[in-house]
Amino acid sequence: MSDALVVFTPSGKRGRFALGTPVLTAARQLGVDLDSVCGGRGICSKCQITPGYGEFSKHGVSVASNALSDWNAVEQRYRDKRGLTEGRRLGCQARIQGDVVIDVPPESQLHRQVVRKAASARPIAMDPATRLYYVEVTQPDMHEPSGDLERLAEALRSQWQIDSIQAGLAILRKLQPALRQGNWAVTVALYADHRGGAARILDIWPGFHAGPLLGLAIDLGSTTIAAHLTDLSDGSVVASGGVMNPQIRFGEDLMSRVSYAMMNPGGDVEMTAAVRLAINALVQSVAAEAGADPAAIMEVVLVCNPVMHHLFLGIDPVELGQAPFALATSGALTLAARDLELTALNPEARLYTLPCIAGHVGADAAAVALSEAPEKSEDLVLIVDVGTNAEILLGNKTRVLACSSPTGPAFEGAQISSGQRAAPGAIERIEIDPATKEPRFKVIGSYLWSNEPGFAEATAKTGVTGICGSGIIEAVAEMRMAGIVDAAGLIGNPEQTGTARCFAEGRTHAYLIHDATDQGGPRITVTQGDIRAIQLAKAALYAGAKLLMDELGVDTVDRVVLAGAFGAHISAKHAMVLGMIPDCPLDKVTSAGNAAGTGARIALCNVAARKGIEAQVARIHKVETAIEPRFQEHFVAASAIPHATDRFPELSRVVTLPQVSHNTSGGGDGGRRRGRSRG
Amino acid sequence: MSDALVVFTPSGKRGRFALGTPVLTAARQLGVDLDSVCGGRGICSKCQITPGYGEFSKHGVSVASNALSDWNAVEQRYRDKRGLTEGRRLGCQARIQGDVVIDVPPESQLHRQVVRKAASARPIAMDPATRLYYVEVTQPDMHEPSGDLERLAEALRSQWQIDSIQAGLAILRKLQPALRQGNWAVTVALYADHRGGAARILDIWPGFHAGPLLGLAIDLGSTTIAAHLTDLSDGSVVASGGVMNPQIRFGEDLMSRVSYAMMNPGGDVEMTAAVRLAINALVQSVAAEAGADPAAIMEVVLVCNPVMHHLFLGIDPVELGQAPFALATSGALTLAARDLELTALNPEARLYTLPCIAGHVGADAAAVALSEAPEKSEDLVLIVDVGTNAEILLGNKTRVLACSSPTGPAFEGAQISSGQRAAPGAIERIEIDPATKEPRFKVIGSYLWSNEPGFAEATAKTGVTGICGSGIIEAVAEMRMAGIVDAAGLIGNPEQTGTARCFAEGRTHAYLIHDATDQGGPRITVTQGDIRAIQLAKAALYAGAKLLMDELGVDTVDRVVLAGAFGAHISAKHAMVLGMIPDCPLDKVTSAGNAAGTGARIALCNVAARKGIEAQVARIHKVETAIEPRFQEHFVAASAIPHATDRFPELSRVVTLPQVSHNTSGGGDGGRRRGRSRG
């Protein structure tokens, strides 16, 4: 027998190889996904495999115990130094001696899949732009003079089949010392993305360098900036962090920032500098949390709304503040991070921004589309990313539509009398007893309801300080279900509601949730103004969704996905009571968590996903709410609470109030009065 | 008749076109080289043509006087505003009405040739990387949202057939205001070089922008930096300038600078900063001289020796100071000028460096090869670029060889007792009467010989201050021809030479050329040490040339080209008397002037030339003098003066000196003692 049958699992790929062929070589020839950084030199240990011995009737193979060459000194040294799981071999050392079945464990697969936590989510196949390659370079020869870079390129060509490379000045500076220090062996980090062209050397180390290579997924919001530090070899998140967007001092919402840029020459430059500074600080703190060298961060994927996109890139956002809301560029960009003054990373790090969908529908919405993939959905899915601005996607395999709706900051607890950001002490859950009209609530930082024993002690440190976004939604919905608020959104007086918690405030009434004045805290109430603000916000959100449904010619959707950090905390029931989202069975409403951040991570881990979302964004049908007369119609029609009573048995408990005179037309105008506040 | 025959001259291209077709359209369809920046909108006037009327038997056409449409309002307006030569028409306005012969004058040809002054030189066909394009861009549409950049790309695709573009952040910043200020019409400067890929927007202007687009050819020498500001539309040099290389303060020659970098941590960084600062200042002064906006400078082509190449790029040159003299990279580079801190140019300007040939044979030698094109020569040509280091090329159509030879600074007047740089007051020409042994000379700044009336007055301002490089060569050669120096290079004593101008100085003798001490000036002499320094230098140069001839297996060359600013001033006769260059008929020795600078200009004006020289450099056979034992043999053998007596009747006058004891072996050692001084 001069050759033997080799079967790889889990791929099932098989072939015959000459006896003595290393397992890694066989895997490469068959196109089996088996990792290697050192190219088979027994250094990196990425090519670990598990041989199977015995009968494999499924594969028609009987594997003798000597089917692979003997355990060798390289393997022993590796096991002694770093440990090697029992039964594992190094694919570059073990040679084929007879028919054999070889299992490639997940951690040895180059394109291994990262299973995401959310149930609905697809796994991410690892295929990052940046990878490590170990190479041995020919020494210079005076008889055949050539540059060190040219000989490195030749080595990458012959040892790794990499056609062409390019190197920036910083790498040219490091090249010669690295080659000599490594005795003509180096490890390079090569960046090759979906655009093709020469692979770019991002870093170089003498000898073998094990990594890690890190990437940063950044979700740059108008209020907060979140970053996920990700290991580019396996997609794992090694640290996460967030900071407030310091641009808030120039304006709470995006339109105020655009105005600031318009009114103050150089204002855009100020805001650009502020956000870049904050990201640099965030990079450092996230790296410190992971105990990682910030120079190991090779790539950034950034998602954000169009105004943040322009302000971060240093483009005056003035055109986004007025019709026709033209972006300087809507395409995806690949840039040098240092050109954006992101100096805390590797000096050669690349930054990728996802494409913007339209003037109001940004790269963050594109990231949600990448994460949730409505274009692959069999049933009709409505995806809502709730923030200061709501990004709305509707579609299925046939067609996907997108729009943005100016919900305003009410859903984030802003412009609410007792509103506050989601922070310890903020009320996040509320229930109101329909009989007694008495509330009970939970605050962030405690698991106890306010009427449970120990609540006062548990919240002594933070106190009860206000209501956050998800809390105000529950409060309004519960007030409606308890008969404190009518369908038009008016809070009843004490006589109508039968509770002294409803008290007169000017010409309208408010509802007292909690009085903490005796502990020096605030009186937490829901005022008529708060109800109106929530009505405006939810009507805008609903109207946006409805507009897309009109465009698609449907009356219902099959399922709803709530995205965004806020979306993760909204109670689906209360959202539907409130009429935030169109009717849909409650069990078909799911939360995707921070889908924009997930989309950024996917783009970080898989270059094909970048290509895919760029193509998909071009195919998405964009609907501009600002110029659609039907949006205003839907908006006005959607201000009532609720319009989904029949779906909720609880709502039969809703008490019908005696009619009083009030004005319900504020909603329609309000949307215009507030202008287009985006986030 | 519904169509007509159109014949273009000088190309001779012809075709039939429907009546009413604009001449520009016909030219484009036939591939006739007719320029246009505005794309036929009657704005740029680049497409001027001259119709011929009457009989054209050569073309078989009889052209009626109404063969073109009538002179129109656009043409009239252009003539009124800017003038239009009689008989000229605008190709985009004049329409074909009948058979016609159309002449495209040179200034309307996009690829017009720039005729260079030097007789031997080939013309340069204009085909620069950077060009202007006027485009009209679709306005943004809220129903079909897309970025301004994406619509600009679409306009360039449909109006100019440009496949893909890219834009840096600075352009994204300028894009939106430019489009709006230009009412959706802009002119862009697009850079598309020989490497392919997306065309890069270097600048953008509202509406029509006439230019100019400028490029800078820089010859970065170890001693001086020369720059030629070139109009990229026609290749004309609009201003030239030079400055001293400020790195001189770190070391006169290149090896001292490499030593400085080795001995002083951060020394390379200091030198890099110094040279970049000097180039920025040079850019500003050259632009000011031309009355040009430095921001109009879109491209730089830089040529230099390998040490300057590394120091300019910010790469530590330490590896160039020791065998095997490895370059960090030998390939041609295209970089952003701003990454090299060249801030005086357009912020998006690109910089191209020609490839280096070997560790000692730099991009300057490649530029000489590009300018002189030995690979296209029918006869065997020896090209010598004389400087502190001599770059030597030898070859013809079959094969080209290159080496570098360490001549040292003597040829530049350095390390010569009365030596000085070529500057007013320096002796540049000398004749010595063989009978009287009396010298006469000319100094830079005066046309008079020193024995002519008025010389003292003419040189009163500068005085006679020393001898420059070409002067010392003539002095030594004339001393040999006058019998003051023997074949071994020894200066005779007063008795042997019969002149009191030969005087004892230590154990050897010197020759007095001029005593200016009574005017407070120096005593200008040629000492035995000077003769030795020149012998070393010329022996090194000769040995390098001879080594290449050995390699090619030839004893003679057909012609010699002396390149470099210094080469332009060397007398061919004296060079050959001295034995600087191999024997060759005197009329076959020509000067190519600053061939390196010319090569840089060619690369600036023609992208195909960049591709060509990159390929040619790879084909050039490199010879390393430092490791060739025969180099040392040739070097020792070449120290005698002269070895070409039979070719010069004047040399029959050479007086044979009585033999005295001396040591002629210094030359061979000297080459090693001096180390490898490169320039």
Side-chain angles (χ1 to χ4, degrees), chain A residues 140 142-143 145 147-150 169 172-173 175-176 180 313-314 319 324-331 340 358 622 627, chain B residues 140 142-143 145 147-150 169 173 175-176 180 313-315 319 324-331 340 358 622 627:
Chain A
M142 280 202 282
H143 293 282
D148 283 347
L149 181 67
E150 286 70 22
L169 288 169
L172 288 178
R173 259 170 229 138
L175 177 63
Q176 297 200 308
R180 284 150 187 83
L313 294 177
E319 291 301 328
F325 315 111
L327 288 151
T329 179
S330 55
L340 299 156
K622 294 95 187 169
I627 52 169
Chain B
M142 281 203 281
H143 293 281
D148 283 347
L149 181 67
E150 285 70 21
L169 288 168
R173 259 170 229 138
L175 177 63
Q176 297 200 307
R180 284 151 186 84
L313 294 177
I315 303 168
E319 291 301 327
F325 315 112
L327 288 151
T329 179
S330 55
L340 300 156
K622 295 95 186 170
I627 52 170

Side-chain angles (χ1 to χ4, degrees), chain A residues 229-581:
Chain A
L229 192 61
T230 306
D231 189 317
L232 292 179
S233 70
D234 62 8
S236 61
V237 174
V238 296
S240 291
V243 289
M244 295 299 287
N245 187 330
Q247 291 179 342
I248 285 173
R249 69 172 186 269
F250 304 101
E252 276 268 331
D253 61 34
L254 293 171
M255 276 310 117
S256 346
R257 292 183 210 167
V258 174
S259 302
Y260 183 83
M262 285 178 177
M263 310 302 283
N264 301 276
D268 58 323
V269 178
E270 262 183 287
M271 288 188 278
T272 297
V275 71
R276 290 177 177 179
L277 209 63
I279 292 180
N280 272 319
L282 180 58
V283 169
Q284 280 169 324
S285 85
V286 175
E289 193 198 314
D293 179 358
I297 305 174
M298 298 290 163
E299 287 193 65
V300 177
V301 169
L302 184 102
V303 301
C304 53
N305 61 58
V307 171
M308 288 314 308
H309 177 268
H310 278 41
L311 280 174
F312 173 71
L313 294 177
I315 304 168
D316 190 333
V318 59
E319 291 301 328
L320 297 171
Q322 54 206 20
F325 315 111
L327 288 151
T329 179
S330 55
L333 297 171
T334 301
L335 300 161
R338 67 166 177 274
D339 286 347
L340 299 156
E341 297 167 284
L342 298 190
T343 51
L345 319 163
N346 186 290
E348 288 288 299
R350 304 286 104 178
L351 180 136
Y352 176 77
T353 62
L354 268 74
C356 290
I357 298 178
H360 289 135
V361 192
D364 48 0
V368 171
L370 175 56
S371 169
E372 302 310 311
E375 79 283 2
K376 290 179 183 155
S377 177
E378 296 285 348
D379 49 9
L380 186 63
V381 59
L382 177 75
I383 305 165
V384 177
D385 191 357
V386 183
T388 306
N389 222 48
E391 269 77 51
I392 308 171
L393 294 160
L394 176 68
N396 56 18
K397 280 193 152 176
T398 313
R399 199 171 173 217
V400 177
L401 294 79
C403 75
S404 170
S405 193
T407 44
F411 285 156
E412 300 187 289
Q415 297 180 13
I416 296 294
S417 61
S418 294
Q420 70 159 93
R421 294 193 198 290
I427 294 173
E428 58 169 348
R429 303 289 313 276
I430 295 189
E431 283 178 10
I432 301 176
D433 186 299
T436 63
K437 322 291 186 199
E438 282 302 297
R440 65 170 193 163
F441 54 85
K442 283 184 178 176
V443 301
I444 297 176
S446 162
Y447 294 102
L448 297 172
W449 284 102
S450 57
N451 60 347
E452 289 177 320
F455 176 82
E457 294 73 22
T459 58
K461 234 176 177 168
T462 60
V464 181
T465 49
I467 312 179
C468 73
S470 61
I472 190 72
I473 286 172
E474 294 204 0
V476 177
E478 289 283 325
M479 284 166 73
R480 175 71 189 111
M481 290 193 287
I484 296 166
V485 161
D486 69 6
L490 200 75
I491 301 176
N493 60 32
E495 294 72 44
Q496 288 168 316
T497 59
T499 174
R501 285 187 175 268
C502 287
F503 62 96
E505 198 184 51
R507 290 161 56 180
T508 58
H509 290 82
Y511 174 75
L512 177 70
I513 292 176
H514 182 67
D515 189 346
T517 45
D518 52 353
Q519 293 104 42
R523 262 168 66 92
I524 298 171
T525 61
V526 177
T527 67
Q528 188 61 55
D530 297 342
I531 305 276
R532 288 281 176 256
I534 290 296
Q535 279 179 293
L536 293 179
K538 73 104 189 178
L541 178 54
Y542 187 86
K546 204 72 186 155
L547 190 65
L548 295 189
M549 291 165 71
D550 283 358
E551 195 76 24
L552 209 57
V554 297
D555 285 328
T556 56
V557 300
D558 296 327
R559 57 187 179 98
V560 175
V561 174
L562 297 176
F566 170 66
H569 296 100
I570 294 179
S571 139
K573 179 185 80 176
H574 291 103
M576 225 170 292
V577 166
L578 205 59
M580 278 177 73
I581 48 176

Side-chain angles (χ1 to χ4, degrees), chain B residues 419-433:
Chain B
Q420 70 159 92
R421 294 195 197 289
I427 294 173
E428 59 169 346
R429 304 289 314 278
I430 295 189
E431 282 179 9
I432 301 177
D433 187 301

Side-chain angles (χ1 to χ4, degrees), chain B residues 537-555:
Chain B
K538 74 103 187 176
L541 178 55
Y542 186 86
K546 204 72 186 156
L547 191 65
L548 295 189
M549 290 165 72
D550 284 357
E551 194 77 25
L552 209 58
V554 298
D555 285 329

